[in-house]
Amino acid sequence: MKLKKRLFFDLFTLYKRNQARLHPLTYLFWECTLRCNLNCMHCGSDCSKEMQTPDMPLADFLNVLDTITPHVDPPNTTIVLTGGEPTMRADLAEIGREITRRGFPWGMVSNGFALNENLFSHLMQAGLRSLTISLDGLEEAHDWFRGQKGSFDRAINAIRLATSEPGLTFDVVTCVHQRNINTLHNLRDLLIATGVKRWRIFIIFPKGRAKDNPELDMDNAQFRAVYDFITETRKSGKIRVNAGCEGFLGDYELLARDHPFFCHAGIHIGSVLVDGSISACPSLRADYIQGNIYKDDFWDVWENRFQIMRDRRWTKTGKCASCKVYKWCEGNGLHLRDEKTGDLLQCHYEKLS
């Protein structure tokens, strides 16, 4: 790695540590349901159409927003609805209106299956500001991955609705797996033709349903091929593509995404899970729970806990203990570590090297 890049990473590490000390909350995710209309191969939530865990009442989450409002700048604190699948809730437009009324911008992460023209119109009227739709390959691969025939067509329809709204911050997310890795170029061309301007590409991590599925894993050569594809696509300038924020990429840093690796969990990102648990990035799911809104004050938890995410020195064990890039990586994304043992489940730098 060139000296200039190493110096940049040294400075960026100082910035990250200062942000961990300040920990301004800029994104709050609400897992508003665990119900889902699909049956995805990689699901970390193990969602289904009818879950025993009921949806959190809207009033309970609004109480969280009201308690944090004096401590944040609402226009600069984005609320993101996730799940499960948010469109399973019948009160989705009401949720949006209430969040908007409190001065917070809000967005949603969706598989797009139920996002028809009527619902989309109601959500836009309710103040929808940002939207992420998942598209995980061309038709055959996407329908297999999402466990539902016709899910590709529904996702494409949702994408067309989103691209028709110029004021909406919108991107497509793709999880790479064995059945779509060789068609990424075709998928890219399809997204460009559909009017998509922003695209994020993720590597599936070995948790949830993906843990023991070899069709969702990639060898080192395939791993590198994904980041070569991202780098090549970024150079073309036809679509703004970024690698996911999963781990430190070594020489691919700043080539495969706009910003260097920074695990924002517990530093800029918090979340409220469907049972009231207070967590961080939704990728962590139930790992590293810090409290519960039904017995703790969210802001008190945000201010005084989350140390496991803000001081990462505990991750310097195992292969990380002697790693030459640890000072820049600081143990990879926390969702790539086993919560019970602390062991690193997947190292991007190692696979790319």
Side-chain angles (χ1 to χ4, degrees), residues 64-83:
V64 174
L65 291 190
D66 292 340
T67 61
I68 71 170
T69 296
H71 306 286
V72 301
D73 180 20
N76 291 308
T77 307
T78 300
I79 311 302
V80 183
L81 307 184
T82 184

Side-chain angles (χ1 to χ4, degrees), residues 50-167:
E50 300 298 332
M51 292 294 298
Q52 291 183 350
T53 304
D55 296 353
M56 178 183 288
L58 171 57
D60 295 354
F61 181 70
L62 294 179
N63 183 59
V64 174
L65 291 190
D66 292 340
T67 61
I68 71 170
T69 296
H71 306 286
V72 301
D73 180 20
N76 291 308
T77 307
T78 300
I79 311 302
V80 183
L81 307 184
T82 184
E85 170 54 39
T87 58
M88 296 293 287
R89 291 191 61 132
D91 61 348
L92 195 55
E94 180 187 357
I95 291 171
R97 287 193 295 270
E98 288 297 326
I99 295 172
T100 300
R101 189 168 68 84
R102 285 162 170 78
F104 292 90
W106 70 279
M108 183 175 70
V109 179
S110 175
N111 57 40
F113 191 80
L115 195 58
N116 56 35
E117 188 172 353
N118 182 59
L119 177 57
F120 182 71
S121 176
H122 280 91
L123 296 182
M124 290 301 299
Q125 292 172 22
L128 181 67
R129 296 273 294 276
S130 63
L131 177 64
T132 293
I133 298 292
S134 297
L135 190 69
D136 299 295
L138 301 177
E139 183 172 6
E140 182 180 353
H142 178 89
D143 285 358
W144 167 80
F145 187 70
R146 293 287 165 176
Q148 177 65 55
K149 188 173 179 59
S151 59
F152 173 84
D153 290 336
R154 296 281 194 97
I156 288 293
N157 181 64
I159 288 169
R160 289 197 172 106
L161 289 172
T163 57
S164 70
E165 286 287 347

Side-chain angles (χ1 to χ4, degrees), residues 40-44 135-137 141 144-146 173-181 201-219 223 226-227 244 246 283 335-336 345-348 351:
C40 305
M41 302 289 291
H42 69 316
C43 184
L135 190 69
D136 299 295
W144 167 80
F145 187 70
R146 293 287 165 176
V173 163
T174 296
C175 293
V176 181
H177 50 78
Q178 292 286 352
R179 297 200 187 190
N180 70 7
I181 187 172
I201 296 179
F202 283 82
I203 303 294
I204 298 171
F205 53 93
K207 282 189 177 181
R209 296 177 188 169
K211 184 177 181 181
D212 300 310
N213 190 334
E215 289 195 90
L216 303 183
D217 195 15
M218 287 183 289
D219 61 33
F223 213 84
V226 172
Y227 290 99
E246 304 150 316
S283 292
H335 64 288
L336 296 174
L345 302 175
Q346 182 170 281
C347 175
H348 285 58
K351 292 181 76 70

Side-chain angles (χ1 to χ4, degrees), residues 239-310:
I239 187 170
R240 183 178 175 183
V241 60
N242 274 283
C245 55
E246 304 150 316
F248 184 73
L249 305 178
D251 286 331
Y252 285 92
E253 289 288 345
L254 302 180
L255 295 177
R257 57 183 170 220
D258 294 342
H259 306 290
F261 170 64
F262 187 173
C263 183
H264 295 269
I267 297 174
H268 296 137
I269 298 175
S271 67
V272 176
L273 304 186
V274 71
D275 64 352
S277 295
I278 299 171
S279 185
C281 173
S283 292
L284 295 178
R285 281 294 305 133
D287 295 348
Y288 311 106
I289 296 297
Q290 301 297 300
N292 192 289
I293 65 167
Y294 293 116
K295 63 179 181 179
D296 301 304
D297 177 77
F298 180 92
W299 193 253
D300 179 66
V301 172
W302 178 257
E303 284 293 276
N304 298 304
R305 302 186 195 179
F306 289 94
Q307 281 78 13
I308 196 170
M309 304 172 197
R310 295 168 186 169

Side-chain angles (χ1 to χ4, degrees), residues 190-210:
L190 173 64
L191 293 177
I192 293 171
T194 313
V196 175
K197 304 298 183 184
R198 296 179 180 88
W199 186 22
R200 280 182 291 157
I201 296 179
F202 283 82
I203 303 294
I204 298 171
F205 53 93
K207 282 189 177 181
R209 296 177 188 169

Side-chain angles (χ1 to χ4, degrees), residues 303-320:
E303 284 293 276
N304 298 304
R305 302 186 195 179
F306 289 94
Q307 281 78 13
I308 196 170
M309 304 172 197
R310 295 168 186 169
D311 183 350
R312 302 286 295 274
R313 287 175 293 183
W314 64 272
T315 63
K316 198 172 184 179
T317 59
K319 64 177 67 176
C320 292

